Amino acid sequence: MRSMSEDHTHVREFFTERAAGWDGRFPDDGPAYAAAVAELGLCLGDRVLDAGCGTGRALPPLRAAVGSSGTVLGVDLTPAMLQAAVRAGRDRAGRLLLADVAALPVRSECLDAVFAAGLIAHLPRPAENLRELARVVRPGGVLALFHPIGRAALAARHGRQITPDDLRAEDNLNPLLAGSGWRMTSYVDEDARFLALAVRTG
């Protein structure tokens, strides 16, 4: 069976079909997003990217963290998800860009942090794509790979079990990040959330 991450067309089709009702499916995720954003340690004036921002649920807490002097960008591959973000008024919290995280329209080393919710499972070339995220972040900047529920709970939601090749497993993710310009600094995988934090090396 073809995985959803194998081509952009499939990813875009998957999320286009679900965009209009996406927030309604997960109405209670807001506090989890805010708590994960807090773990980034952002300061007023910082510049942050929400990579694969979807309907923009992370944008308001990101804006609150960096203040009016900061920069918040939301990038997504699917126009329908960005349109849902606009309908929800979240474009007021950050600038929305239709773009591929594999080729970001952002200067090298111009950001302080990247927040990525549910992104890694949809990356067609994870090592290469994580290197692209590293390219746009200054050395010492932070990456947060987040999901509002943990791996086991997510697998159970879809009627599956965790497999050994899951990229989000700590033993797989740690070397993947290390080979892509990041050093993992913390890893949490519990029913209530998944959050891996990494620092840009170099």
Side-chain angles (χ1 to χ4, degrees), residues 179-199:
S180 305
W182 302 97
R183 176 176 57 84
M184 192 159 70
T185 57
S186 69
Y187 181 91
V188 175
D189 181 19
E190 53 197 22
D191 282 351
R193 71 170 178 166
F194 173 90
L195 181 64
L197 297 176
V199 171

Side-chain angles (χ1 to χ4, degrees), residues 61-197:
L62 289 171
R63 172 56 66 193
V66 304
S68 59
S69 61
T71 299
V72 177
L73 301 175
V75 168
D76 203 272
L77 185 67
T78 306
M81 293 297 266
L82 295 178
Q83 291 160 10
V86 172
R87 286 194 302 272
R90 297 181 185 129
D91 56 322
R92 295 192 293 270
R95 182 181 175 198
L96 299 176
L97 299 172
L98 179 64
D100 185 352
V101 297
L104 292 165
V106 178
R107 295 192 319 275
S108 296
E109 299 187 5
C110 74
L111 300 174
D112 298 292
V114 173
F115 184 86
L119 178 69
I120 193 165
H122 303 296
L123 295 177
R125 293 174 294 279
E128 181 180 325
N129 301 149
L130 287 168
R131 277 194 295 273
E132 173 65 359
L133 294 180
R135 178 188 68 79
V136 301
V137 175
R138 61 170 175 79
V142 183
L143 169 68
L145 298 175
F146 168 69
H147 202 284
I149 62 174
R151 293 188 306 128
L154 182 62
R157 177 186 284 177
H158 295 291
R160 298 194 299 263
Q161 293 184 335
I162 298 174
T163 58
D165 62 349
D166 184 350
L167 288 179
R168 293 162 296 183
E170 187 171 9
D171 289 345
N172 296 332
L173 186 59
N174 198 7
L176 175 62
L177 287 167
S180 305
W182 302 97
R183 176 176 57 84
M184 192 159 70
T185 57
S186 69
Y187 181 91
V188 175
D189 181 19
E190 53 197 22
D191 282 351
R193 71 170 178 166
F194 173 90
L195 181 64
L197 297 176

